[in-house]
Amino acid sequence: MEIRQIKYFLAVVDSGSVSRAAGRLFVAQSALSKQISDLETDLDVQLLHRTRSGVFPTESGKVFYEYGKAILKQIGDAREAVHFSSEAIVGNVVVGVPQSASVALALPLINAVQVRLPNVSLHINEELTGNLLEQLWQGRVDLAVFTSNIQLQGFTFKPIAQEDFYLVKPAKGKKTGSCEAGDVSLEEALSGSLMLSGLQHSHCIRSIIEETVSKQGLQMPALFAEINSVHILKIAVEAGQGNTIMPLALVQQEVMQGRLKAKRINPAQISRTLGICMSNNIPATNAKQAVAALITRLVGELSESGKWPSLRTHDLIDDAP
């Protein structure tokens, strides 16, 4: 297998046509077709379906496409690493952030990297946690913000913060613009009509709730609805369809506008640990380490300033450079 064969294959899939890919790569169409054919022979699988209207990947081709992108990314990282001094902080870094954390973290991270790490090109992937897990395994994501309930062999998880959960209800005309005082018990939060994301799509919220309820000897109620969209879930709560449970950062704007009301669930009963997950097998470049350290420091700053509400960091964060 040759690097150019991987490049050619990715170009063909992205173009949807051998002729268009050949034009983009400035190679003869016959030469490109031969390289793809040689790659299929080497792998002993068919990678592409060839039709009169174009080409598209087979199931094996879809798998190889994802690994091919990861391979080329790591080759690019290696090239950058050997062309700069051992102290230089330069290169591309792909950070995976689940939706439940991206609302509070994504924009501040983009701004912080521009100011503090000007020679780093940052890419942020907001995905469902299940998709991020796959991308992390494949090497397409350099580091990801996950929760401690996700165990990955061959990866290091560094805790950076503890986050509380809130019971979110419709405001019902009560335009307070702030969270309700005091805490509600987990048992109370589970009562009434409850809507959550589907278990198969939510490693960071739903599964933590399920695991905590089980450990405390409680019973999960029958859910009024399962909604795999934070946006739709908030709309449904605001419309009075039921309540939900989530970190405050996801509903802070609606609470401040008086559209929803939120009350913290007793943190001694339920919370989640956020951390940075990185592979032990893929070398961590200076740029990756610098971005990881920046995320750690940034999370502390957002917590102290109140811009990421319900976050607690003083017991978990080490001194970041």
Side-chain angles (χ1 to χ4, degrees):
M1 187 187 305
E2 300 178 9
I3 294 174
R4 66 173 176 175
Q5 291 175 330
I6 300 174
K7 290 181 178 178
Y8 288 177
F9 172 72
L10 297 184
V12 170
V13 173
D14 290 338
S15 300
S17 163
V18 174
S19 60
R20 284 196 293 270
R24 286 175 51 189
L25 296 167
F26 301 102
V27 298
Q29 184 173 335
S30 58
L32 179 56
S33 295
K34 184 179 185 307
Q35 290 296 328
I36 299 298
S37 178
D38 289 345
L39 179 60
E40 290 178 317
T41 299
D42 182 54
L43 294 172
D44 195 27
V45 295
Q46 181 180 350
L47 296 174
L48 297 172
H49 288 299
R50 297 159 175 85
T51 69
R52 291 182 178 180
S53 58
V55 298
F56 57 94
T58 63
E59 289 304 311
S60 295
K62 292 176 184 178
V63 172
F64 187 77
Y65 178 84
E66 299 300 333
Y67 278 97
K69 290 176 67 174
I71 291 168
L72 293 187
K73 181 187 182 306
Q74 291 177 38
I75 291 173
D77 289 346
R79 283 176 174 162
E80 288 179 344
V82 300
H83 279 92
F84 296 96
S85 70
S86 58
E87 293 80 23
I89 302 176
V90 180
N92 298 304
V93 179
V94 182
V95 178
V97 186
Q99 191 177 33
S100 61
S102 65
V103 172
L105 181 61
L107 184 57
L109 179 59
I110 292 171
N111 294 333
V113 168
Q114 289 177 341
V115 173
R116 306 183 199 184
L117 301 172
N119 294 319
V120 171
S121 177
L122 178 70
H123 305 264
I124 294 181
N125 284 10
E126 182 195 64
E127 291 274 8
L128 294 172
T129 304
N131 295 339
L132 284 179
L133 286 170
E134 185 176 351
Q135 292 176 10
L136 196 63
W137 272 110
Q138 294 169 345
R140 294 171 53 202
V141 167
D142 294 308
L143 57 96
V145 176
F146 279 155
T147 49
S148 58
N149 64 313
I150 300 171
Q151 301 296 322
L152 290 176
Q153 187 174 2
F155 290 81
T156 298
F157 178 85
K158 179 187 177 183
I160 59 174
Q162 200 79 16
E163 187 169 26
D164 299 329
F165 284 88
Y166 280 66
L167 174 63
V168 181
K169 295 183 174 182
K172 293 182 179 179
K174 188 178 181 181
K175 309 294 185 181
T176 61
S178 62
C179 293
E180 295 184 300
D183 293 341
V184 63
S185 70
L186 180 58
E187 293 88 340
E188 292 175 276
L190 296 174
S191 64
S193 296
L194 190 63
M195 301 180 292
L196 297 172
S197 57
L199 184 59
Q200 71 274 27
H201 293 292
S202 182
H203 296 74
C204 292
I205 297 179
R206 171 71 182 274
S207 63
I208 292 176
I209 296 172
E210 294 265 1
E211 291 168 10
T212 302
V213 167
S214 176
K215 286 179 181 178
Q216 296 197 16
L218 303 174
Q219 292 291 326
M220 280 293 297
L223 297 179
F224 176 74
E226 292 185 273
I227 303 174
N228 295 319
S229 164
V230 172
H231 177 66
I232 297 175
L233 187 54
K234 291 190 292 185
I235 290 176
V237 174
E238 187 176 352
Q241 297 296 316
N243 307 327
T244 192
I245 296 172
M246 60 176 59
L248 183 58
L250 289 174
V251 292
Q252 185 182 22
Q253 183 176 0
E254 290 82 0
V255 170
M256 296 303 295
Q257 293 172 349
R259 295 161 52 194
L260 294 172
K261 60 181 181 180
K263 191 170 186 177
R264 188 176 72 164
I265 302 173
N266 185 348
Q269 290 184 286
I270 185 170
S271 64
R272 68 175 183 173
T273 301
L274 293 174
I276 297 173
C277 192
M278 296 179 66
S279 172
N280 296 329
N281 302 315
I282 299 175
T285 63
N286 291 345
K288 295 177 189 177
Q289 295 180 51
V291 170
L294 179 58
I295 291 174
T296 301
R297 170 167 288 183
L298 183 60
V299 164
E301 294 172 357
L302 292 171
S303 173
E304 291 176 8
S305 67
K307 293 180 180 178
W308 192 335
S310 75
L311 209 63
R312 294 175 280 117
T313 61
H314 59 278
D315 294 329
L316 291 172
I317 291 185
D318 298 327
D319 291 334

